[in-house]
Amino acid sequence: MTLISRLSRFLLPAADDAAIADYPFVPSDVALYQRTLHGEAGAIDAQTWSDMLLPQYSAHLARETSIFGQQELHRRLQAGQDGAPSAARVRTLAGDAGQRLQLQAACVGLRRSDREISATLFGRAMAAAPRWTALLPWMPVAFLLSVALALVTGFMPLWGVALGLWLALSLVQVRFHEAAEEWCRILETLQQMLRAHTLLAESGLPTTAAFSEDAARAGKINRSLARSPLTGMAGMREYGNWLWLLNIRHYFNSREVVRAQADFLRSSFARVAALEADLALARHLAGTPRYCWAERGDSVALTLVVHPLLAEAAPLSFAPRERGAFISGQNGIGKSTLLRTVGLNLIVARAFGFCYADTATATMLPVYSSMQGEDTLEGGESLYIAELRRAQELLALAARGPAVFIIDEIFRGTNHLESISAATAVLHTLAERGTVIVSSHNLVLAPLLEDRLAPWCVSRVDGRLQLSPGVLRETNGIALLGTRGFDDAISAKANRVFDWLSDYMAHPADCEDVRNSL
């Protein structure tokens, strides 16, 4: 360990033995790094983020991870994978528990951070300190000198000068006190980052080689951001702040340091955040029984794929290849779960390079979904209007470039004929521009879209789920009436209407007979 790093630890002690209580950052804070770098145009929009249960999945990944790692994980999920170096490091760490523990110890201080700093580093450039701040060190001296001269000479106007200087000191303190206190919290996070940078370099591991070349610079900047040790002494903090303006002077001086070292601090942030994100992924994979590294391709092929948030997920194989897929199946069989499983695995493959499957070929296209349309009382929007709005959003996204579209029960909010007609038009257009994976109880959509979407049916064979080519043959919607406690007479009426409708679809006729039978 270098002499500089020893002195740094002495001057900037960290409570290594203190219990870690991860600060509860809100989702908007976690997303701020991605938004600051890339704006609102991420690869995943808000509805897809919700549909694919990514808030829950992100929280699952981010256990024992600071705001730095959380923000980088979020950024990758939104924007896609960084590439081979990150995947290689995750592979290495996933198989080396000792190295994971060593790196986790070096990064533990990051979890004591309670401020988000990506906006400070990557946002709008910090303004230079006003010129008058150069007078701050001299104001306390002038005040004390005027008091001393007034006492010695008895010259009354000097008391007026002293009072004016005292008021100036007080006004400066009142004006900038809150900003200085908040800045101090930001600096604490910055210093934890720089300290982690130094500790990672000292580990000497191949996975942290990127930190070694400029670790000394990180330590030097860290020390330049530190406050005077005197401010930690009992009573000295208040005295130093109100008389000598130590907190305000430190506020402006340290901001100048951050402004001057902005490029290095951004680089340090990106490297520290990337390593902690890789560490979180490696820790996650080490406890995951089923995963594989995905091959990139133009199609989708997932063998025995599962959803990582389901404790007893039933694995399914899904390989529509070059075409999209129309998925049918009985009520409650798991079609929506299958869509979420495929969608999440494609997003994870694009972001991190692996899937929760035995083998996987995954496209690197962005994923968009429509699975949770509903009436909105606040906006006065009916279900069908909400579905139309989402369909327009998906068409606009498709116009930007190829993508994967995951859609569940499109256009439930209108009558059967119009639902089929509108769904056919929208799904066919989306399939011309990208890959569509859709599930629906409207089985007539399968032949209407068979030139674009291959039909697949989810069924249960010998107690196990199976996905096979074809369309559902035996529906169970009416059968569920009996299993759910409906009277037999209700089921009988429903069956009579069903038989009539089935015949009417092929041979339209007057409905008077069936109406009279109810």
PDB file of all heavy atoms in Angstrom, residues 12-33:
ATOM      1  N   LEU A  12      -9.103  10.727   5.523  1.00  0.00           N
ATOM      2  CA  LEU A  12     -10.479  10.502   5.085  1.00  0.00           C
ATOM      3  C   LEU A  12     -10.945   9.144   5.586  1.00  0.00           C
ATOM      4  O   LEU A  12     -11.148   8.204   4.818  1.00  0.00           O
ATOM      5  CB  LEU A  12     -10.563  10.537   3.550  1.00  0.00           C
ATOM      6  CG  LEU A  12     -10.094  11.838   2.906  1.00  0.00           C
ATOM      7  CD1 LEU A  12      -9.952  11.653   1.416  1.00  0.00           C
ATOM      8  CD2 LEU A  12     -11.053  12.956   3.224  1.00  0.00           C
ATOM      9  N   PRO A  13     -11.094   8.991   6.884  1.00  0.00           N
ATOM     10  CA  PRO A  13     -11.473   7.687   7.414  1.00  0.00           C
ATOM     11  C   PRO A  13     -12.863   7.289   6.962  1.00  0.00           C
ATOM     12  O   PRO A  13     -13.744   8.116   6.783  1.00  0.00           O
ATOM     13  CB  PRO A  13     -11.435   7.892   8.938  1.00  0.00           C
ATOM     14  CG  PRO A  13     -11.666   9.355   9.119  1.00  0.00           C
ATOM     15  CD  PRO A  13     -11.035  10.029   7.940  1.00  0.00           C
ATOM     16  N   ALA A  14     -13.048   5.987   6.778  1.00  0.00           N
ATOM     17  CA  ALA A  14     -14.360   5.447   6.410  1.00  0.00           C
ATOM     18  C   ALA A  14     -14.808   4.481   7.479  1.00  0.00           C
ATOM     19  O   ALA A  14     -14.018   3.727   8.027  1.00  0.00           O
ATOM     20  CB  ALA A  14     -14.279   4.730   5.057  1.00  0.00           C
ATOM     21  N   ALA A  15     -16.091   4.495   7.762  1.00  0.00           N
ATOM     22  CA  ALA A  15     -16.620   3.630   8.808  1.00  0.00           C
ATOM     23  C   ALA A  15     -16.824   2.228   8.241  1.00  0.00           C
ATOM     24  O   ALA A  15     -17.930   1.783   7.972  1.00  0.00           O
ATOM     25  CB  ALA A  15     -17.939   4.194   9.330  1.00  0.00           C
ATOM     26  N   ASP A  16     -15.691   1.509   8.016  1.00  0.00           N
ATOM     27  CA  ASP A  16     -15.764   0.205   7.383  1.00  0.00           C
ATOM     28  C   ASP A  16     -16.530  -0.801   8.226  1.00  0.00           C
ATOM     29  O   ASP A  16     -17.078  -1.759   7.705  1.00  0.00           O
ATOM     30  CB  ASP A  16     -14.352  -0.330   7.109  1.00  0.00           C
ATOM     31  CG  ASP A  16     -13.659   0.457   6.007  1.00  0.00           C
ATOM     32  OD1 ASP A  16     -14.362   0.905   5.100  1.00  0.00           O
ATOM     33  OD2 ASP A  16     -12.433   0.622   6.071  1.00  0.00           O
ATOM     34  N   ASP A  17     -16.516  -0.589   9.536  1.00  0.00           N
ATOM     35  CA  ASP A  17     -17.166  -1.553  10.416  1.00  0.00           C
ATOM     36  C   ASP A  17     -18.637  -1.221  10.660  1.00  0.00           C
ATOM     37  O   ASP A  17     -19.350  -1.977  11.301  1.00  0.00           O
ATOM     38  CB  ASP A  17     -16.430  -1.616  11.768  1.00  0.00           C
ATOM     39  CG  ASP A  17     -14.997  -2.126  11.601  1.00  0.00           C
ATOM     40  OD1 ASP A  17     -14.781  -2.930  10.667  1.00  0.00           O
ATOM     41  OD2 ASP A  17     -14.123  -1.721  12.381  1.00  0.00           O
ATOM     42  N   ALA A  18     -19.078  -0.065  10.156  1.00  0.00           N
ATOM     43  CA  ALA A  18     -20.464   0.324  10.371  1.00  0.00           C
ATOM     44  C   ALA A  18     -21.389  -0.534   9.511  1.00  0.00           C
ATOM     45  O   ALA A  18     -21.038  -0.957   8.419  1.00  0.00           O
ATOM     46  CB  ALA A  18     -20.667   1.801  10.027  1.00  0.00           C
ATOM     47  N   ALA A  19     -22.556  -0.781  10.022  1.00  0.00           N
ATOM     48  CA  ALA A  19     -23.533  -1.585   9.281  1.00  0.00           C
ATOM     49  C   ALA A  19     -23.980  -0.827   8.031  1.00  0.00           C
ATOM     50  O   ALA A  19     -24.133   0.392   8.044  1.00  0.00           O
ATOM     51  CB  ALA A  19     -24.730  -1.899  10.164  1.00  0.00           C
ATOM     52  N   ILE A  20     -24.154  -1.567   6.955  1.00  0.00           N
ATOM     53  CA  ILE A  20     -24.598  -0.967   5.708  1.00  0.00           C
ATOM     54  C   ILE A  20     -26.123  -0.968   5.663  1.00  0.00           C
ATOM     55  O   ILE A  20     -26.763  -2.005   5.830  1.00  0.00           O
ATOM     56  CB  ILE A  20     -24.053  -1.747   4.498  1.00  0.00           C
ATOM     57  CG1 ILE A  20     -22.524  -1.665   4.454  1.00  0.00           C
ATOM     58  CG2 ILE A  20     -24.655  -1.213   3.210  1.00  0.00           C
ATOM     59  CD1 ILE A  20     -21.996  -0.303   4.122  1.00  0.00           C
ATOM     60  N   ALA A  21     -26.689   0.202   5.461  1.00  0.00           N
ATOM     61  CA  ALA A  21     -28.133   0.332   5.264  1.00  0.00           C
ATOM     62  C   ALA A  21     -28.328   1.060   3.934  1.00  0.00           C
ATOM     63  O   ALA A  21     -28.182   2.273   3.858  1.00  0.00           O
ATOM     64  CB  ALA A  21     -28.776   1.111   6.404  1.00  0.00           C
ATOM     65  N   ASP A  22     -28.585   0.295   2.880  1.00  0.00           N
ATOM     66  CA  ASP A  22     -28.664   0.873   1.543  1.00  0.00           C
ATOM     67  C   ASP A  22     -29.726   1.956   1.478  1.00  0.00           C
ATOM     68  O   ASP A  22     -30.871   1.754   1.892  1.00  0.00           O
ATOM     69  CB  ASP A  22     -28.971  -0.215   0.516  1.00  0.00           C
ATOM     70  CG  ASP A  22     -27.799  -1.178   0.351  1.00  0.00           C
ATOM     71  OD1 ASP A  22     -26.668  -0.702   0.307  1.00  0.00           O
ATOM     72  OD2 ASP A  22     -28.042  -2.396   0.274  1.00  0.00           O
ATOM     73  N   TYR A  23     -29.339   3.111   0.943  1.00  0.00           N
ATOM     74  CA  TYR A  23     -30.260   4.240   0.839  1.00  0.00           C
ATOM     75  C   TYR A  23     -31.353   3.909  -0.176  1.00  0.00           C
ATOM     76  O   TYR A  23     -31.068   3.396  -1.263  1.00  0.00           O
ATOM     77  CB  TYR A  23     -29.489   5.483   0.407  1.00  0.00           C
ATOM     78  CG  TYR A  23     -30.298   6.756   0.463  1.00  0.00           C
ATOM     79  CD1 TYR A  23     -30.497   7.409   1.668  1.00  0.00           C
ATOM     80  CD2 TYR A  23     -30.867   7.285  -0.690  1.00  0.00           C
ATOM     81  CE1 TYR A  23     -31.244   8.581   1.726  1.00  0.00           C
ATOM     82  CE2 TYR A  23     -31.608   8.450  -0.639  1.00  0.00           C
ATOM     83  CZ  TYR A  23     -31.796   9.097   0.575  1.00  0.00           C
ATOM     84  OH  TYR A  23     -32.544  10.250   0.624  1.00  0.00           O
ATOM     85  N   PRO A  24     -32.616   4.191   0.140  1.00  0.00           N
ATOM     86  CA  PRO A  24     -33.724   3.826  -0.762  1.00  0.00           C
ATOM     87  C   PRO A  24     -33.905   4.836  -1.894  1.00  0.00           C
ATOM     88  O   PRO A  24     -34.802   5.676  -1.857  1.00  0.00           O
ATOM     89  CB  PRO A  24     -34.931   3.814   0.183  1.00  0.00           C
ATOM     90  CG  PRO A  24     -34.596   4.827   1.235  1.00  0.00           C
ATOM     91  CD  PRO A  24     -33.105   4.741   1.424  1.00  0.00           C
ATOM     92  N   PHE A  25     -33.068   4.759  -2.900  1.00  0.00           N
ATOM     93  CA  PHE A  25     -33.191   5.666  -4.034  1.00  0.00           C
ATOM     94  C   PHE A  25     -34.474   5.363  -4.814  1.00  0.00           C
ATOM     95  O   PHE A  25     -34.836   4.207  -5.021  1.00  0.00           O
ATOM     96  CB  PHE A  25     -31.986   5.521  -4.965  1.00  0.00           C
ATOM     97  CG  PHE A  25     -30.731   6.133  -4.420  1.00  0.00           C
ATOM     98  CD1 PHE A  25     -29.804   5.360  -3.744  1.00  0.00           C
ATOM     99  CD2 PHE A  25     -30.480   7.486  -4.568  1.00  0.00           C
ATOM    100  CE1 PHE A  25     -28.650   5.923  -3.230  1.00  0.00           C
ATOM    101  CE2 PHE A  25     -29.336   8.063  -4.067  1.00  0.00           C
ATOM    102  CZ  PHE A  25     -28.414   7.278  -3.393  1.00  0.00           C
ATOM    103  N   VAL A  26     -35.151   6.419  -5.248  1.00  0.00           N
ATOM    104  CA  VAL A  26     -36.382   6.251  -6.017  1.00  0.00           C
ATOM    105  C   VAL A  26     -36.027   5.929  -7.467  1.00  0.00           C
ATOM    106  O   VAL A  26     -34.911   6.207  -7.926  1.00  0.00           O
ATOM    107  CB  VAL A  26     -37.248   7.525  -5.941  1.00  0.00           C
ATOM    108  CG1 VAL A  26     -37.675   7.798  -4.504  1.00  0.00           C
ATOM    109  CG2 VAL A  26     -36.497   8.733  -6.504  1.00  0.00           C
ATOM    110  N   PRO A  27     -36.955   5.310  -8.222  1.00  0.00           N
ATOM    111  CA  PRO A  27     -36.653   4.927  -9.605  1.00  0.00           C
ATOM    112  C   PRO A  27     -36.174   6.087 -10.482  1.00  0.00           C
ATOM    113  O   PRO A  27     -35.333   5.889 -11.360  1.00  0.00           O
ATOM    114  CB  PRO A  27     -37.998   4.367 -10.107  1.00  0.00           C
ATOM    115  CG  PRO A  27     -38.655   3.836  -8.877  1.00  0.00           C
ATOM    116  CD  PRO A  27     -38.263   4.791  -7.773  1.00  0.00           C
ATOM    117  N   SER A  28     -36.695   7.283 -10.256  1.00  0.00           N
ATOM    118  CA  SER A  28     -36.261   8.414 -11.085  1.00  0.00           C
ATOM    119  C   SER A  28     -34.792   8.742 -10.857  1.00  0.00           C
ATOM    120  O   SER A  28     -34.099   9.184 -11.783  1.00  0.00           O
ATOM    121  CB  SER A  28     -37.128   9.646 -10.795  1.00  0.00           C
ATOM    122  OG  SER A  28     -37.053  10.010  -9.418  1.00  0.00           O
ATOM    123  N   ASP A  29     -34.293   8.544  -9.637  1.00  0.00           N
ATOM    124  CA  ASP A  29     -32.864   8.746  -9.376  1.00  0.00           C
ATOM    125  C   ASP A  29     -32.029   7.686 -10.083  1.00  0.00           C
ATOM    126  O   ASP A  29     -30.985   7.990 -10.663  1.00  0.00           O
ATOM    127  CB  ASP A  29     -32.581   8.696  -7.873  1.00  0.00           C
ATOM    128  CG  ASP A  29     -33.000   9.962  -7.149  1.00  0.00           C
ATOM    129  OD1 ASP A  29     -33.147  11.004  -7.814  1.00  0.00           O
ATOM    130  OD2 ASP A  29     -33.192   9.912  -5.922  1.00  0.00           O
ATOM    131  N   VAL A  30     -32.479   6.440 -10.025  1.00  0.00           N
ATOM    132  CA  VAL A  30     -31.750   5.354 -10.669  1.00  0.00           C
ATOM    133  C   VAL A  30     -31.709   5.576 -12.181  1.00  0.00           C
ATOM    134  O   VAL A  30     -30.700   5.300 -12.842  1.00  0.00           O
ATOM    135  CB  VAL A  30     -32.397   3.997 -10.330  1.00  0.00           C
ATOM    136  CG1 VAL A  30     -31.713   2.859 -11.089  1.00  0.00           C
ATOM    137  CG2 VAL A  30     -32.321   3.736  -8.818  1.00  0.00           C
ATOM    138  N   ALA A  31     -32.784   6.108 -12.747  1.00  0.00           N
ATOM    139  CA  ALA A  31     -32.866   6.307 -14.197  1.00  0.00           C
ATOM    140  C   ALA A  31     -32.135   7.557 -14.665  1.00  0.00           C
ATOM    141  O   ALA A  31     -31.977   7.752 -15.877  1.00  0.00           O
ATOM    142  CB  ALA A  31     -34.325   6.388 -14.625  1.00  0.00           C
ATOM    143  N   LEU A  32     -31.667   8.393 -13.747  1.00  0.00           N
ATOM    144  CA  LEU A  32     -31.126   9.699 -14.128  1.00  0.00           C
ATOM    145  C   LEU A  32     -29.849   9.581 -14.959  1.00  0.00           C
ATOM    146  O   LEU A  32     -29.611  10.378 -15.866  1.00  0.00           O
ATOM    147  CB  LEU A  32     -30.857  10.527 -12.870  1.00  0.00           C
ATOM    148  CG  LEU A  32     -30.736  12.033 -13.061  1.00  0.00           C
ATOM    149  CD1 LEU A  32     -31.931  12.592 -13.824  1.00  0.00           C
ATOM    150  CD2 LEU A  32     -30.619  12.731 -11.715  1.00  0.00           C
ATOM    151  N   TYR A  33     -28.998   8.601 -14.671  1.00  0.00           N
ATOM    152  CA  TYR A  33     -27.763   8.410 -15.442  1.00  0.00           C
ATOM    153  C   TYR A  33     -28.087   8.119 -16.903  1.00  0.00           C
ATOM    154  O   TYR A  33     -27.506   8.725 -17.812  1.00  0.00           O
ATOM    155  CB  TYR A  33     -26.975   7.262 -14.811  1.00  0.00           C
ATOM    156  CG  TYR A  33     -25.643   6.947 -15.459  1.00  0.00           C
ATOM    157  CD1 TYR A  33     -24.789   7.946 -15.909  1.00  0.00           C
ATOM    158  CD2 TYR A  33     -25.216   5.627 -15.606  1.00  0.00           C
ATOM    159  CE1 TYR A  33     -23.566   7.640 -16.481  1.00  0.00           C
ATOM    160  CE2 TYR A  33     -23.995   5.313 -16.162  1.00  0.00           C
ATOM    161  CZ  TYR A  33     -23.176   6.318 -16.606  1.00  0.00           C
ATOM    162  OH  TYR A  33     -21.961   6.017 -17.168  1.00  0.00           O
TER     163      TYR A  33
END
